[in-house]
Amino acid sequence: MSIRSKWVLAVAAGLVMAGCASQQEPATKAVAAAQAALGAVRDEASQYAPDQLKAAEEALGRIQGKLEGGDYSDVLTAAPSLVKQVDELKAAAADGKARMEAAMAEARDLLPTLSADLPKMTEALKARLDALTKMKALPEGVDAANLDFARKSYEELSGEWTAAQADFAAGRFTDAASKANAARRRATD
């Protein structure tokens, strides 16, 4: 190899190193910006979009690995897709939160209606069970097994309604609505 070739090779290597060094700062800033954006949405996303959060964290991890490996051009190429992924994550978390708030509002509105109707249903059911229990002979189509099943159902209904009221008082509106609906279904069966 001639001296001229060695000089050309040295100059080329220097230019490549200078090019890499000039990409290091933007790549580092891009990763820092992605980390900050992900950090800003992490808490809400962990509740309302956990799968998308995991995917974004994995993508960030891959980009951080490229940065640590000195592959700055790949970092700069991948950074825009990560920014887009974090934006989609933020939108998904906001959508999930809005849906949860709507469900809670619906449940909060449903409980007062059920509070008016369900006690009347349970009182009527209890009165009917008491009347059947006092009979010397059960009506046609009703036997002791049916009556026992109805009593157990009534006890479960009462338990579900009590649990629904406790959940409502504790602010767990969706749980309360679910239990109250189960109690209403049991009362109408």
Side-chain angles (χ1 to χ4, degrees):
M1 185 180 267
S2 71
I3 292 180
R4 186 174 181 180
S5 298
K6 288 181 183 178
W7 276 102
V8 170
L9 185 59
V11 170
L15 289 173
V16 168
M17 290 178 70
C20 287
S22 69
Q23 289 182 337
Q24 181 178 6
E25 184 177 342
T28 302
K29 287 182 179 180
V31 170
Q35 286 173 323
L38 193 56
V41 73
R42 182 172 277 118
D43 287 342
E44 206 167 270
S46 67
Q47 290 180 345
Y48 303 111
D51 293 337
Q52 286 177 284
L53 174 62
K54 182 179 177 188
E57 287 176 334
E58 289 171 354
L60 177 62
R62 286 190 299 274
I63 290 176
Q64 286 174 320
K66 289 179 182 184
L67 179 66
E68 291 167 4
D71 197 353
Y72 307 124
S73 63
D74 277 356
V75 170
L76 293 172
T77 301
S81 67
L82 179 59
V83 168
K84 181 181 177 191
Q85 192 173 6
V86 170
D87 287 343
E88 290 170 354
L89 173 63
K90 185 186 271 185
D95 182 54
K97 183 177 182 181
R99 281 186 281 129
M100 177 60 82
E101 288 172 350
M104 288 180 67
E106 182 181 335
R108 204 173 25 249
D109 294 343
L110 177 67
L111 262 297
T113 302
L114 290 176
S115 292
D117 295 342
L118 203 53
K120 292 175 190 173
M121 286 185 215
T122 56
E123 287 174 23
L125 182 59
K126 176 78 169 125
R128 179 72 174 141
L129 287 172
D130 288 345
L132 287 172
T133 302
K134 292 177 183 177
M135 291 182 164
K136 292 183 180 183
L138 294 173
E140 187 176 323
V142 177
D143 60 15
N146 288 343
L147 188 56
D148 286 341
F149 178 77
R151 277 193 209 114
K152 287 178 186 176
S153 292
Y154 173 78
E155 289 170 8
E156 290 171 1
L157 159 73
S158 296
E160 287 169 344
W161 178 239
T162 301
Q165 290 173 316
D167 283 344
F168 186 77
R172 295 184 301 268
F173 303 117
T174 54
D175 291 343
S178 177
K179 289 174 183 171
N181 276 326
R184 179 174 55 179
R185 280 190 304 274
R186 194 175 299 276
T188 57
D189 287 347

